[in-house]
Amino acid sequence: GSLERRRCLYLRTGRACCQMVEVLVAALILVCSSVSCGSAGGYTGLPALGGIYYYQYGGAYSGFSGADGERAQQLDQRFYLLKLPIARAAMAVGGCLLVFPCVLILVGVLRVPWHFPGWLLIECTLYIVIAVGTVPALYYFLHSLLSVYNSSGCKEREQLYESKGYQGFWCSLHGAEIAAGLLGCMAAMAYLLSAGLAVRDYRTIHEQNQKPLQL
């Protein structure tokens, strides 16, 4: 009935649209973080190396022989273990950022801010805290990855693969990791915008609630 129509109208508001953008950005951060983690065999997603099945079952080591093949596998495993905690932390943050706007969309659909306007101030505070916290989180993410890429093991791995003619094992940030950083910046800006919209809606609701008293 009319109640359901009023609830659906929230999804057309600026705050709801901003929250849906936050859901999309968080989902992309989660995907990019999982790509950064890679697989236990060291597969980096390069088309020239074939599929995951081809790589994990030894096809990508066809250019190696004897000690070089064993060394390549050891370096791959060490490189994977160094990146694993960073990727897991990024995936955990992306998951939390995905759940947070979904909860706020549900709160808005249930019209909680209309009955309890103070919730909008709480929402604004949470948005500001998350936006500010995104800055050191991005710094930690990129700094940790660069530390892994600057390690001696990564340099040795890069040289070993290049000596066999393999490309794409460079010790530098790849596309998914750069995209995760840019998406994090976009998320921070979206949170600040949502904080401003929450304050605007709080003022609007407060003014509407004061009109009967003035009359």
Short mmCIF file of all heavy atoms in Angstrom, two decimals, residues 85-147:
data_model
loop_
_atom_site.label_atom_id
_atom_site.label_comp_id
_atom_site.label_asym_id
_atom_site.label_seq_id
_atom_site.Cartn_x
_atom_site.Cartn_y
_atom_site.Cartn_z
N PRO A 85 48.69 -12.13 3.44
CA PRO A 85 48.08 -11.33 4.53
C PRO A 85 47.55 -9.98 4.05
O PRO A 85 46.52 -9.51 4.52
CB PRO A 85 49.24 -11.16 5.52
CG PRO A 85 50.21 -12.24 5.19
CD PRO A 85 50.10 -12.45 3.71
N ILE A 86 48.26 -9.36 3.11
CA ILE A 86 47.83 -8.06 2.59
C ILE A 86 46.52 -8.20 1.83
O ILE A 86 45.59 -7.40 2.01
CB ILE A 86 48.92 -7.46 1.69
CG1 ILE A 86 50.26 -7.42 2.43
CG2 ILE A 86 48.53 -6.08 1.20
CD1 ILE A 86 51.43 -7.07 1.53
N ALA A 87 46.45 -9.23 0.98
CA ALA A 87 45.23 -9.44 0.20
C ALA A 87 44.06 -9.79 1.09
O ALA A 87 42.94 -9.31 0.88
CB ALA A 87 45.48 -10.54 -0.84
N ARG A 88 44.30 -10.61 2.11
CA ARG A 88 43.21 -10.99 3.02
C ARG A 88 42.71 -9.77 3.79
O ARG A 88 41.49 -9.62 3.99
CB ARG A 88 43.69 -12.07 3.98
CG ARG A 88 43.77 -13.46 3.35
CD ARG A 88 44.22 -14.49 4.35
NE ARG A 88 44.15 -15.84 3.81
CZ ARG A 88 44.56 -16.93 4.44
NH1 ARG A 88 45.07 -16.83 5.67
NH2 ARG A 88 44.46 -18.12 3.87
N ALA A 89 43.62 -8.92 4.24
CA ALA A 89 43.20 -7.71 4.95
C ALA A 89 42.38 -6.80 4.04
O ALA A 89 41.36 -6.24 4.46
CB ALA A 89 44.43 -6.97 5.48
N ALA A 90 42.82 -6.66 2.78
CA ALA A 90 42.08 -5.82 1.83
C ALA A 90 40.70 -6.41 1.55
O ALA A 90 39.71 -5.68 1.44
CB ALA A 90 42.87 -5.68 0.54
N MET A 91 40.62 -7.74 1.45
CA MET A 91 39.32 -8.39 1.21
C MET A 91 38.40 -8.22 2.41
O MET A 91 37.20 -8.02 2.25
CB MET A 91 39.54 -9.86 0.90
CG MET A 91 40.22 -10.11 -0.44
SD MET A 91 40.67 -11.84 -0.70
CE MET A 91 39.05 -12.61 -0.74
N ALA A 92 38.97 -8.29 3.62
CA ALA A 92 38.15 -8.09 4.82
C ALA A 92 37.60 -6.67 4.88
O ALA A 92 36.42 -6.45 5.20
CB ALA A 92 38.98 -8.40 6.07
N VAL A 93 38.45 -5.70 4.56
CA VAL A 93 38.00 -4.30 4.55
C VAL A 93 36.93 -4.10 3.47
O VAL A 93 35.90 -3.45 3.71
CB VAL A 93 39.20 -3.36 4.31
CG1 VAL A 93 38.71 -1.93 4.09
CG2 VAL A 93 40.15 -3.41 5.50
N GLY A 94 37.17 -4.68 2.29
CA GLY A 94 36.17 -4.56 1.22
C GLY A 94 34.84 -5.19 1.61
O GLY A 94 33.78 -4.65 1.28
N GLY A 95 34.89 -6.33 2.31
CA GLY A 95 33.65 -6.97 2.76
C GLY A 95 32.89 -6.11 3.76
O GLY A 95 31.66 -5.99 3.68
N CYS A 96 33.63 -5.49 4.68
CA CYS A 96 32.98 -4.61 5.67
C CYS A 96 32.37 -3.39 4.99
O CYS A 96 31.26 -2.97 5.33
CB CYS A 96 33.99 -4.18 6.72
SG CYS A 96 34.57 -5.52 7.79
N LEU A 97 33.11 -2.83 4.03
CA LEU A 97 32.59 -1.67 3.31
C LEU A 97 31.39 -2.04 2.44
O LEU A 97 30.58 -1.17 2.10
CB LEU A 97 33.69 -1.06 2.43
CG LEU A 97 34.89 -0.47 3.17
CD1 LEU A 97 35.90 0.10 2.18
CD2 LEU A 97 34.46 0.60 4.17
N LEU A 98 31.28 -3.31 2.08
CA LEU A 98 30.13 -3.76 1.30
C LEU A 98 28.89 -3.91 2.18
O LEU A 98 27.77 -3.57 1.78
CB LEU A 98 30.46 -5.08 0.62
CG LEU A 98 29.37 -5.72 -0.25
CD1 LEU A 98 29.02 -4.81 -1.42
CD2 LEU A 98 29.82 -7.08 -0.76
N VAL A 99 29.10 -4.40 3.40
CA VAL A 99 27.97 -4.63 4.30
C VAL A 99 27.42 -3.32 4.85
O VAL A 99 26.20 -3.14 4.99
CB VAL A 99 28.39 -5.57 5.46
CG1 VAL A 99 27.30 -5.67 6.51
CG2 VAL A 99 28.74 -6.95 4.92
N PHE A 100 28.31 -2.37 5.15
CA PHE A 100 27.91 -1.12 5.81
C PHE A 100 26.84 -0.35 5.02
O PHE A 100 25.78 -0.03 5.57
CB PHE A 100 29.14 -0.26 6.06
CG PHE A 100 28.85 1.06 6.71
CD1 PHE A 100 28.34 1.12 7.99
CD2 PHE A 100 29.07 2.24 6.01
CE1 PHE A 100 28.07 2.35 8.60
CE2 PHE A 100 28.80 3.46 6.60
CZ PHE A 100 28.30 3.52 7.89
N PRO A 101 27.06 -0.02 3.74
CA PRO A 101 26.00 0.71 3.02
C PRO A 101 24.74 -0.11 2.81
O PRO A 101 23.64 0.46 2.73
CB PRO A 101 26.67 1.08 1.68
CG PRO A 101 27.78 0.11 1.53
CD PRO A 101 28.25 -0.21 2.90
N CYS A 102 24.88 -1.45 2.73
CA CYS A 102 23.68 -2.28 2.60
C CYS A 102 22.80 -2.14 3.84
O CYS A 102 21.56 -2.07 3.74
CB CYS A 102 24.07 -3.74 2.39
SG CYS A 102 24.83 -4.09 0.80
N VAL A 103 23.42 -2.10 5.01
CA VAL A 103 22.66 -1.92 6.25
C VAL A 103 21.99 -0.54 6.27
O VAL A 103 20.82 -0.41 6.67
CB VAL A 103 23.58 -2.09 7.47
CG1 VAL A 103 22.86 -1.72 8.76
CG2 VAL A 103 24.09 -3.53 7.55
N LEU A 104 22.72 0.48 5.81
CA LEU A 104 22.15 1.83 5.82
C LEU A 104 21.00 1.95 4.82
O LEU A 104 20.04 2.68 5.06
CB LEU A 104 23.24 2.84 5.48
CG LEU A 104 24.35 2.98 6.54
CD1 LEU A 104 25.32 4.07 6.12
CD2 LEU A 104 23.76 3.29 7.91
N ILE A 105 21.08 1.25 3.70
CA ILE A 105 19.96 1.25 2.74
C ILE A 105 18.73 0.62 3.39
O ILE A 105 17.61 1.12 3.26
CB ILE A 105 20.36 0.50 1.46
CG1 ILE A 105 21.40 1.30 0.68
CG2 ILE A 105 19.13 0.25 0.59
CD1 ILE A 105 21.95 0.58 -0.53
N LEU A 106 18.92 -0.48 4.10
CA LEU A 106 17.81 -1.13 4.79
C LEU A 106 17.21 -0.22 5.85
O LEU A 106 15.99 -0.11 5.99
CB LEU A 106 18.29 -2.44 5.43
CG LEU A 106 17.25 -3.23 6.23
CD1 LEU A 106 16.09 -3.65 5.34
CD2 LEU A 106 17.89 -4.44 6.89
N VAL A 107 18.08 0.49 6.59
CA VAL A 107 17.60 1.44 7.61
C VAL A 107 16.78 2.55 6.96
O VAL A 107 15.74 2.96 7.49
CB VAL A 107 18.80 2.02 8.38
CG1 VAL A 107 18.35 3.19 9.27
CG2 VAL A 107 19.44 0.94 9.25
N GLY A 108 17.24 3.02 5.81
CA GLY A 108 16.51 4.08 5.12
C GLY A 108 15.17 3.60 4.59
O GLY A 108 14.17 4.33 4.66
N VAL A 109 15.14 2.39 4.04
CA VAL A 109 13.88 1.83 3.53
C VAL A 109 12.87 1.66 4.65
O VAL A 109 11.66 1.88 4.46
CB VAL A 109 14.15 0.50 2.81
CG1 VAL A 109 12.85 -0.22 2.51
CG2 VAL A 109 14.95 0.73 1.53
N LEU A 110 13.34 1.30 5.84
CA LEU A 110 12.45 1.15 7.00
C LEU A 110 12.08 2.48 7.65
O LEU A 110 11.38 2.50 8.67
CB LEU A 110 13.12 0.23 8.03
CG LEU A 110 13.36 -1.22 7.58
CD1 LEU A 110 14.09 -2.00 8.67
CD2 LEU A 110 12.05 -1.91 7.22
N ARG A 111 12.58 3.58 7.08
CA ARG A 111 12.25 4.94 7.53
C ARG A 111 12.65 5.19 8.98
O ARG A 111 11.99 5.95 9.71
CB ARG A 111 10.74 5.19 7.34
CG ARG A 111 10.30 5.12 5.88
CD ARG A 111 8.80 5.33 5.74
NE ARG A 111 8.37 6.63 6.25
CZ ARG A 111 8.42 7.75 5.56
NH1 ARG A 111 8.90 7.74 4.32
NH2 ARG A 111 8.00 8.88 6.07
N VAL A 112 13.74 4.58 9.39
CA VAL A 112 14.23 4.83 10.75
C VAL A 112 14.65 6.28 10.95
O VAL A 112 14.33 6.88 11.98
CB VAL A 112 15.39 3.86 11.08
CG1 VAL A 112 16.05 4.22 12.41
CG2 VAL A 112 14.90 2.42 11.09
N PRO A 113 15.37 6.91 10.00
CA PRO A 113 15.75 8.31 10.21
C PRO A 113 14.55 9.25 10.37
O PRO A 113 14.65 10.28 11.05
CB PRO A 113 16.55 8.64 8.95
CG PRO A 113 17.06 7.34 8.46
CD PRO A 113 15.97 6.36 8.78
N TRP A 114 13.42 8.91 9.74
CA TRP A 114 12.25 9.79 9.86
C TRP A 114 11.68 9.76 11.27
O TRP A 114 11.24 10.78 11.79
CB TRP A 114 11.19 9.36 8.86
CG TRP A 114 9.97 10.21 8.89
CD1 TRP A 114 8.80 9.95 9.52
CD2 TRP A 114 9.81 11.49 8.28
NE1 TRP A 114 7.90 10.98 9.34
CE2 TRP A 114 8.50 11.95 8.58
CE3 TRP A 114 10.64 12.30 7.50
CZ2 TRP A 114 8.03 13.16 8.13
CZ3 TRP A 114 10.16 13.51 7.06
CH2 TRP A 114 8.87 13.94 7.37
N HIS A 115 11.71 8.59 11.92
CA HIS A 115 11.20 8.47 13.29
C HIS A 115 12.26 8.81 14.33
O HIS A 115 11.91 9.18 15.46
CB HIS A 115 10.70 7.04 13.52
CG HIS A 115 9.62 6.63 12.57
ND1 HIS A 115 8.33 7.13 12.62
CD2 HIS A 115 9.63 5.76 11.51
CE1 HIS A 115 7.59 6.59 11.67
NE2 HIS A 115 8.36 5.75 10.97
N PHE A 116 13.52 8.69 13.95
CA PHE A 116 14.61 8.99 14.89
C PHE A 116 15.66 9.80 14.12
O PHE A 116 16.66 9.26 13.65
CB PHE A 116 15.21 7.71 15.46
CG PHE A 116 16.35 7.94 16.41
CD1 PHE A 116 16.19 8.75 17.53
CD2 PHE A 116 17.58 7.34 16.18
CE1 PHE A 116 17.25 8.96 18.39
CE2 PHE A 116 18.63 7.54 17.05
CZ PHE A 116 18.47 8.36 18.16
N PRO A 117 15.44 11.12 13.98
CA PRO A 117 16.35 11.95 13.18
C PRO A 117 17.80 11.92 13.68
O PRO A 117 18.73 12.11 12.89
CB PRO A 117 15.76 13.36 13.30
CG PRO A 117 14.32 13.13 13.65
CD PRO A 117 14.29 11.91 14.49
N GLY A 118 17.99 11.67 14.97
CA GLY A 118 19.34 11.62 15.50
C GLY A 118 20.20 10.55 14.85
O GLY A 118 21.43 10.62 14.87
N TRP A 119 19.54 9.54 14.24
CA TRP A 119 20.29 8.49 13.55
C TRP A 119 21.12 9.07 12.40
O TRP A 119 22.22 8.57 12.11
CB TRP A 119 19.33 7.44 13.01
CG TRP A 119 20.01 6.50 12.05
CD1 TRP A 119 19.93 6.52 10.69
CD2 TRP A 119 20.90 5.43 12.38
NE1 TRP A 119 20.72 5.53 10.15
CE2 TRP A 119 21.32 4.85 11.17
CE3 TRP A 119 21.37 4.92 13.59
CZ2 TRP A 119 22.20 3.76 11.14
CZ3 TRP A 119 22.24 3.84 13.55
CH2 TRP A 119 22.65 3.28 12.34
N LEU A 120 20.62 10.13 11.77
CA LEU A 120 21.36 10.72 10.65
C LEU A 120 22.67 11.33 11.12
O LEU A 120 23.67 11.30 10.39
CB LEU A 120 20.50 11.78 9.98
CG LEU A 120 19.29 11.25 9.20
CD1 LEU A 120 18.40 12.39 8.75
CD2 LEU A 120 19.75 10.42 8.02
N LEU A 121 22.70 11.87 12.33
CA LEU A 121 23.95 12.39 12.87
C LEU A 121 24.93 11.26 13.18
O LEU A 121 26.14 11.39 12.96
CB LEU A 121 23.67 13.22 14.13
CG LEU A 121 22.79 14.46 13.92
CD1 LEU A 121 22.58 15.19 15.25
CD2 LEU A 121 23.42 15.39 12.88
N ILE A 122 24.39 10.13 13.67
CA ILE A 122 25.25 8.96 13.91
C ILE A 122 25.80 8.46 12.58
O ILE A 122 27.00 8.13 12.46
CB ILE A 122 24.46 7.86 14.62
CG1 ILE A 122 23.98 8.35 16.00
CG2 ILE A 122 25.29 6.59 14.75
CD1 ILE A 122 23.08 7.36 16.72
N GLU A 123 24.94 8.41 11.58
CA GLU A 123 25.35 7.96 10.25
C GLU A 123 26.43 8.88 9.68
O GLU A 123 27.42 8.42 9.10
CB GLU A 123 24.13 7.93 9.33
CG GLU A 123 24.40 7.42 7.94
CD GLU A 123 23.13 7.34 7.13
OE1 GLU A 123 22.10 6.88 7.66
OE2 GLU A 123 23.16 7.74 5.94
N CYS A 124 26.26 10.19 9.87
CA CYS A 124 27.24 11.15 9.38
C CYS A 124 28.59 10.93 10.06
O CYS A 124 29.64 10.96 9.41
CB CYS A 124 26.73 12.58 9.63
SG CYS A 124 27.93 13.87 9.22
N THR A 125 28.56 10.72 11.38
CA THR A 125 29.80 10.49 12.12
C THR A 125 30.51 9.23 11.63
O THR A 125 31.74 9.23 11.44
CB THR A 125 29.51 10.37 13.62
OG1 THR A 125 28.83 11.55 14.07
CG2 THR A 125 30.79 10.19 14.42
N LEU A 126 29.76 8.16 11.41
CA LEU A 126 30.36 6.92 10.92
C LEU A 126 30.98 7.12 9.54
O LEU A 126 32.07 6.60 9.27
CB LEU A 126 29.29 5.82 10.87
CG LEU A 126 28.75 5.33 12.22
CD1 LEU A 126 27.61 4.34 12.00
CD2 LEU A 126 29.86 4.67 13.04
N TYR A 127 30.30 7.85 8.70
CA TYR A 127 30.85 8.11 7.36
C TYR A 127 32.17 8.87 7.43
O TYR A 127 33.12 8.55 6.71
CB TYR A 127 29.84 8.88 6.52
CG TYR A 127 28.89 8.01 5.76
CD1 TYR A 127 27.51 8.16 5.89
CD2 TYR A 127 29.36 7.05 4.87
CE1 TYR A 127 26.63 7.36 5.17
CE2 TYR A 127 28.48 6.25 4.15
CZ TYR A 127 27.12 6.41 4.31
OH TYR A 127 26.26 5.62 3.60
N ILE A 128 32.22 9.88 8.28
CA ILE A 128 33.44 10.67 8.39
C ILE A 128 34.58 9.82 8.94
O ILE A 128 35.72 9.89 8.47
CB ILE A 128 33.19 11.91 9.28
CG1 ILE A 128 32.21 12.86 8.58
CG2 ILE A 128 34.50 12.62 9.57
CD1 ILE A 128 31.81 14.05 9.42
N VAL A 129 34.28 9.00 9.95
CA VAL A 129 35.32 8.14 10.54
C VAL A 129 35.85 7.17 9.49
O VAL A 129 37.07 6.96 9.38
CB VAL A 129 34.75 7.38 11.76
CG1 VAL A 129 35.73 6.30 12.21
CG2 VAL A 129 34.46 8.34 12.89
N ILE A 130 34.96 6.57 8.71
CA ILE A 130 35.39 5.61 7.69
C ILE A 130 36.19 6.31 6.60
O ILE A 130 37.21 5.79 6.12
CB ILE A 130 34.18 4.88 7.10
CG1 ILE A 130 33.52 4.01 8.16
CG2 ILE A 130 34.60 4.01 5.91
CD1 ILE A 130 32.25 3.33 7.69
N ALA A 131 35.74 7.49 6.18
CA ALA A 131 36.45 8.23 5.13
C ALA A 131 37.86 8.60 5.57
O ALA A 131 38.83 8.46 4.81
CB ALA A 131 35.66 9.48 4.74
N VAL A 132 37.98 9.07 6.82
CA VAL A 132 39.31 9.42 7.34
C VAL A 132 40.16 8.16 7.51
O VAL A 132 41.36 8.15 7.21
CB VAL A 132 39.16 10.17 8.68
CG1 VAL A 132 40.53 10.39 9.31
CG2 VAL A 132 38.47 11.51 8.45
N GLY A 133 39.55 7.08 7.98
CA GLY A 133 40.29 5.84 8.17
C GLY A 133 40.73 5.19 6.87
O GLY A 133 41.67 4.38 6.87
N THR A 134 40.06 5.53 5.76
CA THR A 134 40.45 4.97 4.47
C THR A 134 41.83 5.42 4.04
O THR A 134 42.56 4.68 3.38
CB THR A 134 39.41 5.36 3.40
OG1 THR A 134 38.11 4.89 3.80
CG2 THR A 134 39.74 4.76 2.05
N VAL A 135 42.23 6.62 4.43
CA VAL A 135 43.53 7.17 4.02
C VAL A 135 44.69 6.33 4.57
O VAL A 135 45.54 5.86 3.80
CB VAL A 135 43.65 8.65 4.43
CG1 VAL A 135 45.03 9.20 4.07
CG2 VAL A 135 42.56 9.47 3.77
N PRO A 136 44.80 6.10 5.90
CA PRO A 136 45.88 5.24 6.38
C PRO A 136 45.76 3.80 5.90
O PRO A 136 46.77 3.11 5.74
CB PRO A 136 45.77 5.34 7.90
CG PRO A 136 44.39 5.79 8.17
CD PRO A 136 44.02 6.66 7.02
N ALA A 137 44.52 3.33 5.67
CA ALA A 137 44.34 1.96 5.17
C ALA A 137 44.94 1.83 3.76
O ALA A 137 45.61 0.84 3.46
CB ALA A 137 42.86 1.60 5.16
N LEU A 138 44.71 2.83 2.91
CA LEU A 138 45.29 2.80 1.57
C LEU A 138 46.81 2.89 1.63
O LEU A 138 47.52 2.22 0.86
CB LEU A 138 44.73 3.95 0.73
CG LEU A 138 43.29 3.80 0.25
CD1 LEU A 138 42.83 5.08 -0.44
CD2 LEU A 138 43.15 2.62 -0.70
N TYR A 139 47.31 3.72 2.53
CA TYR A 139 48.76 3.84 2.68
C TYR A 139 49.37 2.51 3.11
O TYR A 139 50.39 2.07 2.55
CB TYR A 139 49.10 4.92 3.71
CG TYR A 139 50.57 4.97 4.05
CD1 TYR A 139 51.48 5.61 3.21
CD2 TYR A 139 51.06 4.36 5.22
CE1 TYR A 139 52.83 5.65 3.51
CE2 TYR A 139 52.40 4.40 5.53
CZ TYR A 139 53.29 5.04 4.68
OH TYR A 139 54.62 5.06 4.98
N TYR A 140 48.75 1.85 4.07
CA TYR A 140 49.25 0.55 4.53
C TYR A 140 49.20 -0.48 3.41
O TYR A 140 50.15 -1.26 3.22
CB TYR A 140 48.42 0.07 5.72
CG TYR A 140 48.71 -1.36 6.11
CD1 TYR A 140 49.83 -1.69 6.86
CD2 TYR A 140 47.85 -2.39 5.72
CE1 TYR A 140 50.11 -3.00 7.21
CE2 TYR A 140 48.11 -3.70 6.06
CZ TYR A 140 49.23 -4.00 6.81
OH TYR A 140 49.49 -5.31 7.14
N PHE A 141 48.11 -0.49 2.64
CA PHE A 141 47.95 -1.45 1.56
C PHE A 141 49.03 -1.28 0.50
O PHE A 141 49.72 -2.25 0.13
CB PHE A 141 46.56 -1.26 0.93
CG PHE A 141 46.30 -2.10 -0.28
CD1 PHE A 141 46.13 -3.48 -0.17
CD2 PHE A 141 46.21 -1.51 -1.54
CE1 PHE A 141 45.89 -4.26 -1.30
CE2 PHE A 141 45.97 -2.29 -2.66
CZ PHE A 141 45.80 -3.66 -2.53
N LEU A 142 49.23 -0.05 0.03
CA LEU A 142 50.21 0.19 -1.03
C LEU A 142 51.64 0.05 -0.51
O LEU A 142 52.52 -0.49 -1.20
CB LEU A 142 49.99 1.57 -1.63
CG LEU A 142 48.64 1.78 -2.33
CD1 LEU A 142 48.48 3.21 -2.78
CD2 LEU A 142 48.49 0.83 -3.51
N HIS A 143 51.89 0.53 0.71
CA HIS A 143 53.23 0.44 1.28
C HIS A 143 53.63 -1.01 1.50
O HIS A 143 54.78 -1.40 1.22
CB HIS A 143 53.30 1.21 2.60
CG HIS A 143 54.62 1.13 3.29
ND1 HIS A 143 55.74 1.81 2.84
CD2 HIS A 143 55.03 0.43 4.39
CE1 HIS A 143 56.76 1.54 3.63
NE2 HIS A 143 56.36 0.72 4.58
N SER A 144 52.71 -1.84 1.97
CA SER A 144 53.00 -3.25 2.20
C SER A 144 53.27 -3.97 0.88
O SER A 144 54.18 -4.80 0.79
CB SER A 144 51.84 -3.91 2.94
OG SER A 144 51.61 -3.30 4.19
N LEU A 145 52.48 -3.67 -0.14
CA LEU A 145 52.70 -4.30 -1.44
C LEU A 145 54.05 -3.90 -2.03
O LEU A 145 54.78 -4.74 -2.57
CB LEU A 145 51.58 -3.92 -2.40
CG LEU A 145 50.24 -4.60 -2.19
CD1 LEU A 145 49.20 -4.04 -3.16
CD2 LEU A 145 50.35 -6.11 -2.38
N LEU A 146 54.39 -2.63 -1.91
CA LEU A 146 55.68 -2.18 -2.44
C LEU A 146 56.84 -2.82 -1.68
O LEU A 146 57.89 -3.10 -2.27
CB LEU A 146 55.77 -0.65 -2.36
CG LEU A 146 54.86 0.11 -3.33
CD1 LEU A 146 54.95 1.61 -3.08
CD2 LEU A 146 55.23 -0.21 -4.78
N SER A 147 56.65 -3.06 -0.37
CA SER A 147 57.69 -3.74 0.40
C SER A 147 57.89 -5.16 -0.11
O SER A 147 59.03 -5.65 -0.18
CB SER A 147 57.31 -3.76 1.89
OG SER A 147 57.20 -2.46 2.40
#
